[in-house]
Amino acid sequence: MTDKSIQVILGDITKCKADAVVNAANTTLLGGLGVDGAIHRAAGMGLFWECLRLGGCKIGQARITGGHRLPAEFIIHTPGPKWKGGRRGEVLLLESCYRSSLALAEEHGCRSVAFPSISTGSYHFPLDQAAEIAVRAISEFLQCSRYVKEVRMVCFDPVAERAYREALKKRNSKEEQVHGRCIRKA
Ligand code: ADP
């Protein structure tokens, strides 16, 4: 994993120069509020027409389009789950958003991928839990990816930034412990 990284940054994902940026879409894929609206506004009507041809997407799955007017080459659209108390499969669905998006990025040979904080805005997924799920899904994926090397979590506000940094710190110390145990066993 030495040539791979997860970064947490504060910023606007529509300005991100990654090979692929991920959109926290809704199931119509035709644009909406929050980051979805920002991506559609910045990318322009070409994105709308391309999304219209896709015919929607289920929660937890992902679809890919061109980047249109964004600096990114691709946009990966994934509808996240709405938080309904945690007993409606929300955790597995959110994990699946990250995995499905990364699988599409890998299929298209992307080296760098930028994610927003999926489901934690108008879908009300608890931020700390969402951050932990995101970091776990991304770091597991990076252990086996061939093309994807750099994943950025692009946070729009300092509260989200802090949550993702904390989740990353926890994950790194857990990985060090596992690695340490492996070394001692060997
Ligand atoms: P969801 O419906 O999946 O909850 P939202 O767009 O409402 O999606 O919120 C998801 C996250 O995206 C929130 O943390 C929100 O602050 C953030 N966000 C909104 N606009 C942008 C942007 N331009 N770049 C990055 N993140 C953004």
Side-chain angles (χ1 to χ4, degrees):
M1 274 273 287
T2 48
D3 60 335
K4 297 181 181 168
S5 68
I6 304 176
Q7 291 157 22
V8 177
I9 59 170
L10 185 61
D12 178 347
I13 202 162
T14 65
K15 307 255 170 17
C16 221
K17 290 196 182 84
D19 294 331
V21 301
V22 177
N23 181 16
N26 60 43
T27 53
T28 69
L29 300 183
L30 300 180
L33 303 169
V35 68
D36 192 14
I39 286 177
H40 273 265
R41 273 192 303 278
M45 281 308 283
L47 176 63
F48 176 83
W49 296 119
E50 191 179 355
C51 284
L52 193 62
R53 285 198 296 274
L54 294 176
C57 177
K58 289 192 175 144
I59 296 168
Q61 298 186 0
R63 298 286 180 270
I64 194 163
T65 64
H68 296 269
R69 291 197 197 140
L70 292 196
E73 191 181 349
F74 299 106
I75 304 171
I76 295 170
H77 308 261
T78 185
K82 287 185 185 146
W83 182 256
K84 292 176 179 163
R87 295 189 175 186
R88 303 279 189 89
E90 294 95 322
V91 168
L92 290 179
L93 287 168
L94 186 60
E95 241 170 41
S96 174
C97 287
Y98 284 93
R99 287 189 214 287
S100 312
S101 301
L102 287 164
L104 270 181
E106 179 80 3
E107 232 175 75
H108 287 76
C110 298
R111 190 183 187 286
S112 55
V113 183
F115 279 94
S117 175
I118 299 168
S119 283
T120 65
S122 57
Y123 286 179
H124 300 298
F125 206 107
L127 181 60
D128 291 343
Q129 203 181 342
E132 217 173 283
I133 292 165
V135 167
R136 184 176 65 230
I138 294 166
S139 63
E140 283 174 5
F141 189 90
L142 284 177
Q143 277 164 21
C144 301
S145 61
R146 179 167 175 201
Y147 297 107
V148 178
K149 304 263 186 204
E150 190 192 308
V151 178
R152 273 174 250 161
M153 283 304 315
V154 183
C155 301
F156 206 46
D157 61 78
V159 176
E161 186 194 14
R162 206 172 315 125
Y164 282 85
R165 282 198 192 288
E166 199 51 45
L168 191 57
K169 209 158 72 182
K170 270 196 208 156
R171 180 80 202 177
N172 286 341
S173 72
K174 204 166 149 197
E175 274 179 5
E176 268 166 31
Q177 281 168 23
V178 172
H179 189 56
R181 271 207 297 280
C182 291
I183 288 169
R184 278 199 295 279
K185 268 189 192 166

